[in-house]
Amino acid sequence: MLKKLRFKFIAISTLAMVVVLFLVLGLVNLVTYSNALSDINSTLDYISSQEGEIVAESESTTNYSKLTPETAYETRYLFLVVGSDGAYVTLNDEHIAAITKDEMDSFIANALSDDETSGIFQFKGLYYAYLKEKSNDQLKLTIMDCTRTMSSVHYFFTFSLYVGALSSLLTFLVLSFFAKRAVAPYVKNNEAQKQFITNASHELKTPLAVISANTEVIEMMNGKNEWTESTVNQVSRMSELISRLVVLSRLEEREDIVLKDVDYSAEAAKSVANFKTVAETKGLKLESVIEEDIHVEADEKGIFELINILLDNAVKYCDDGGAILIVLSKKGKNSSLVVSNDYAEGEGVDYKRFFDRFYREDQSHNSSKKGYGIGLSMAESLTHMFKGKIHVTYKKPIISFTVII
């Protein structure tokens, strides 16, 4: 149990940290990329408005806060105007050196081939941003080298990934170191509860045995009456509750259980045979559809107890004159056990709490149906021991418990 708690604590805490970290880093990268694009587009827009010339310290730069007196000397770009016939009306390539005359047409074609009015493309491993603007029948095209800016963005993104991964690893290691301390109070409290249940069970057995013996003596001396019968029934009820509590407590302590091959079909058939008479006595119809030769990795006594709990629950809460159906089938690599019964009053019930310990749908505990609210909790514990899942569904008027192992 301690290992499971530590693992859950580490997993949930690490996941939360990773999600927050990558959300923050993602937002920072998004802002960085947006700012880089804003700078690039602002410069392109200025070059285009100046017909391919960047004039340092001119009034035209006042509307472009990203431009500085050094921009004219730092920016590498190409500006041209293309006529309606596709010929170059104007070509200013004095401010670009990485592209040769022979590569010029191919370089310009990269920008013109895109349907978008602006964007970024790669040429010879370098990044170039472009801006296309229509003026009458002509097309103005500005292409600017943005390799340094985009490289910085990509470097920051890569750096963020490394920082995120390293931070996640460090978080995992730190949490692994402190996890035992973090879950220790819960484990201590849980162990104390189990110890209390065990001790209380042993302490209660003695007075119950005395009460039972005294009642028998009274019946021998004075004969049976409604009061002695009530006492005997309550003693029996209390003894059964104590036994179930001890079983449930021990179930949760069995972390080292060894699962082995169990004939699921045979155990299910055995349980159905045991409950057949009980159901008929109560005027219920019990039917079963059990596929043969279904085997699972489980504990033989545990799987038998699991089926018995579900059948006992079905018999106990089935409507008068209703039907119970148990179906065991193979679903791929898994096995599916479904125990259903008529339950007309099941609409509007909080089924999420059905597996809570001591939970009963009749909160007054005055129901005529005997029960303690721990049977389904035991079924859930057994299912988890076998690395399976259990859930409840309701489709008027039938309630179904499904176990997947």
Side-chain angles (χ1 to χ4, degrees):
M1 182 177 181
L2 178 59
K3 290 181 180 179
K4 289 182 179 179
L5 282 174
R6 286 177 63 187
F7 176 77
K8 286 183 179 180
F9 173 77
I10 294 170
I12 294 173
S13 301
T14 303
L15 180 61
M17 177 65 184
V18 169
V19 170
V20 172
L21 183 64
F22 277 90
L23 281 175
V24 171
L25 290 176
L27 181 61
V28 171
N29 274 275
L30 183 61
V31 172
T32 302
Y33 182 69
S34 297
N35 286 337
L37 285 182
S38 177
D39 291 348
I40 292 170
N41 291 330
S42 179
T43 306
L44 281 172
D45 188 49
Y46 174 73
I47 296 172
S48 180
S49 67
Q50 296 299 308
E51 300 296 324
E53 292 294 338
I54 299 179
V55 182
E57 298 184 4
S58 69
E59 292 183 3
S60 60
T61 63
T62 57
N63 296 326
Y64 300 90
S65 59
K66 301 294 183 180
L67 301 181
T68 68
E70 297 296 329
T71 302
Y73 309 101
E74 295 175 344
T75 308
R76 313 304 298 168
Y77 65 93
L78 176 149
F79 177 81
L80 75 154
V81 178
V82 182
S84 57
D85 58 355
Y88 301 159
V89 176
T90 303
L91 176 60
N92 183 350
D93 60 355
E94 296 176 0
H95 302 281
I96 194 163
I99 308 301
T100 65
K101 296 292 183 182
D102 294 335
E103 296 170 332
M104 192 64 67
D105 290 339
S106 177
F107 177 67
I108 293 171
N110 269 280
L112 292 174
S113 63
D114 201 331
D115 294 332
E116 299 293 330
T117 57
S118 63
I120 296 175
F121 67 93
Q122 277 187 285
F123 190 85
K124 291 172 60 176
L126 302 177
Y127 290 92
Y128 294 92
Y130 66 87
L131 175 65
K132 293 185 285 188
E133 292 181 312
K134 284 189 176 182
S135 178
N136 298 323
D137 292 335
Q138 297 179 334
L139 177 67
K140 288 198 299 183
L141 176 64
T142 307
I143 306 176
M144 181 181 71
D145 178 19
C146 60
T147 302
R148 185 177 298 177
T149 303
M150 295 306 297
S151 295
S152 297
V153 171
H154 291 161
Y155 174 79
F156 184 74
F157 176 74
T158 304
F159 179 73
S160 297
L161 286 179
Y162 283 119
V163 169
L166 182 60
S167 299
S168 300
L169 178 61
L170 289 174
T171 300
F172 176 79
L173 294 175
V174 171
L175 288 172
S176 298
F177 182 76
F178 290 106
K180 189 174 182 180
R181 292 184 184 180
V183 301
Y186 175 83
V187 173
K188 185 178 180 181
N189 181 55
N190 192 64
E191 292 299 325
Q193 288 182 18
K194 290 179 182 178
Q195 190 62 42
F196 171 77
I197 290 174
T198 302
N199 293 340
S201 299
H202 287 296
E203 292 296 327
L204 288 171
K205 283 181 180 179
T206 301
L208 285 175
V210 172
I211 293 171
S212 180
N214 289 344
T215 304
E216 288 180 8
V217 172
I218 293 173
E219 287 183 337
M220 290 173 61
M221 295 175 62
N222 302 321
K224 290 185 179 181
N225 56 56
E226 60 178 310
W227 310 113
T228 58
E229 286 186 4
S230 175
T231 302
V232 170
N233 290 336
Q234 292 304 318
V235 168
S236 176
R237 178 180 170 83
M238 184 64 74
S239 298
E240 185 182 349
L241 173 59
I242 292 171
S243 298
R244 288 212 167 198
L245 282 172
V246 173
V247 171
L248 182 59
S249 179
R250 288 174 179 172
L251 278 175
E252 294 177 345
E253 291 175 356
R254 294 181 65 184
E255 295 183 1
D256 55 345
I257 184 172
V258 177
L259 303 181
K260 60 182 181 180
D261 183 76
V262 175
D263 190 337
Y264 204 176
S265 301
E267 296 301 320
K270 192 192 304 182
S271 294
V272 171
N274 291 342
F275 277 90
K276 201 82 173 177
T277 304
V278 178
E280 290 175 355
T281 301
K282 292 192 173 186
L284 305 176
K285 184 179 181 182
L286 175 58
E287 295 182 341
S288 62
V289 180
I290 301 173
E291 287 187 21
E292 295 183 0
D293 202 31
I294 295 180
H295 290 250
V296 292
E297 292 294 314
D299 174 75
E300 188 172 323
K301 291 183 179 179
I303 206 77
F304 183 70
E305 180 67 20
L306 171 61
I307 302 169
N308 280 353
I309 289 172
L310 295 178
L311 281 175
D312 178 64
N313 185 78
V315 170
K316 189 180 297 179
Y317 289 97
C318 186
D319 295 335
D320 293 339
I324 301 169
L325 175 64
I326 175 172
V327 178
L328 178 62
S329 58
K330 198 73 175 175
K331 301 290 184 182
K333 294 183 179 180
N334 299 325
S335 63
S336 172
L337 174 72
V338 182
V339 179
S340 308
N341 63 273
D342 292 329
Y343 187 45
E345 298 179 359
E347 201 163 9
V349 174
D350 184 5
Y351 290 101
K352 293 180 181 179
R353 298 192 58 198
F354 260 45
F355 299 102
D356 290 353
R357 196 174 302 179
F358 297 112
Y359 174 77
R360 293 183 65 189
E361 194 274 322
D362 177 17
Q363 296 297 324
S364 67
H365 292 270
N366 291 323
S367 173
S368 60
K369 304 186 189 301
K370 297 179 180 179
Y372 314 102
I374 59 175
L376 293 178
S377 182
M378 289 176 63
E380 184 181 46
S381 295
L382 285 165
T383 305
H384 289 169
M385 280 173 55
F386 307 146
K387 306 185 187 309
K389 295 180 180 179
I390 183 171
H391 65 270
V392 56
T393 56
Y394 182 76
K395 187 175 181 180
K396 194 173 182 178
I398 297 174
I399 185 172
S400 301
F401 289 88
T402 304
V403 177
I404 303 296
I405 301 178

